[in-house]
Amino acid sequence: MGKIGRNEQCPCGSGKKFKHCCLLKEQAGLLKSNPEADFRISLIAELEAIVQVAIEKRQKIKELGVFILLATVEGDAWLLEITDSDAVQLARAGEALEIPIDENSETIEINWSHTYDLSNKEFELTAYSDKSKTVKVDYPVKEINASIKRIKKKFPSDVLDQVHVDPADQ
């Protein structure tokens, strides 16, 4: 994510332009940090929380911006991104894995390990490393699809198109 323009939609999700929302609060000293920093803190806290649910082997799906956080009764946890169908595993069989996120003041970079596909009512993963495919039979495909539809309704397509930053633009 780059710097927020005054006339862009506010990243807090209010639907207002940044200049009519959090910029005013920021200038008035009402915000201790910028919305992007809050989102980073929120994302990491939510990832840690979904990993804990997976360790407890409970199922949970949570929507956060363009992300879906998934915990399964098998003890797996995943972070799914809806625009490019990227995925990264956060827990496996009840064991937490390292959360592969690199942050700086401008962007959050997630080192995606897989892509996912929900066709044929199956959750299919393809590893970036070796292109191997895995089908997760007991994953809640219907609920994940419903989350994707809700997120796509919530954000205009031009906003979804801006989720990924081209490294050449930085």
Side-chain angles (χ1 to χ4, degrees), residues 125-170:
L125 292 155
T126 303
Y128 276 120
S129 61
D130 60 5
K131 305 294 182 216
S132 62
K133 294 186 185 286
T134 306
V135 175
K136 299 292 188 174
V137 180
D138 295 329
Y139 278 25
V141 173
K142 185 176 178 183
E143 292 87 348
I144 296 168
N145 267 324
S147 288
I148 291 170
K149 286 178 185 173
R150 277 192 299 274
I151 292 169
K152 286 184 175 180
K153 250 187 206 180
K154 192 183 304 183
F155 294 102
S157 60
D158 61 322
V159 172
L160 292 175
D161 291 341
Q162 296 175 12
V163 168
H164 293 279
V165 176
D166 185 351
D169 293 341
Q170 293 183 2

Side-chain angles (χ1 to χ4, degrees), residues 22-36:
C22 288
L23 178 62
L24 295 172
K25 296 173 191 171
E26 212 173 79
Q27 290 171 340
L30 299 175
L31 290 180
K32 294 182 177 149
S33 61
N34 66 41
E36 289 176 356

Side-chain angles (χ1 to χ4, degrees), residues 39-49 64 99 101 103:
F39 183 73
R40 276 196 298 278
I41 293 165
S42 165
L43 177 61
I44 290 172
E46 292 297 334
L47 295 178
E48 290 169 350
L64 183 64
I99 297 176
I101 294 180
E103 299 179 54

Side-chain angles (χ1 to χ4, degrees), residues 33-104:
S33 61
N34 66 41
E36 289 176 356
D38 290 344
F39 183 73
R40 276 196 298 278
I41 293 165
S42 165
L43 177 61
I44 290 172
E46 292 297 334
L47 295 178
E48 290 169 350
I50 204 73
V51 166
Q52 187 57 44
V53 172
I55 289 169
E56 296 167 4
K57 297 196 175 183
R58 293 185 294 125
Q59 181 173 301
K60 182 174 182 177
I61 297 174
K62 179 161 185 162
E63 298 165 21
L64 183 64
V66 296
F67 300 118
I68 297 173
L69 290 77
L70 169 68
T72 69
V73 294
E74 292 84 13
D76 294 342
W78 290 87
L79 173 62
L80 310 174
E81 190 273 332
I82 68 151
T83 63
D84 281 353
S85 298
D86 285 320
V88 66
Q89 193 164 20
L90 307 170
R92 181 182 303 119
E95 295 291 324
L97 302 172
E98 183 179 341
I99 297 176
I101 294 180
D102 295 323
E103 299 179 54
N104 64 43

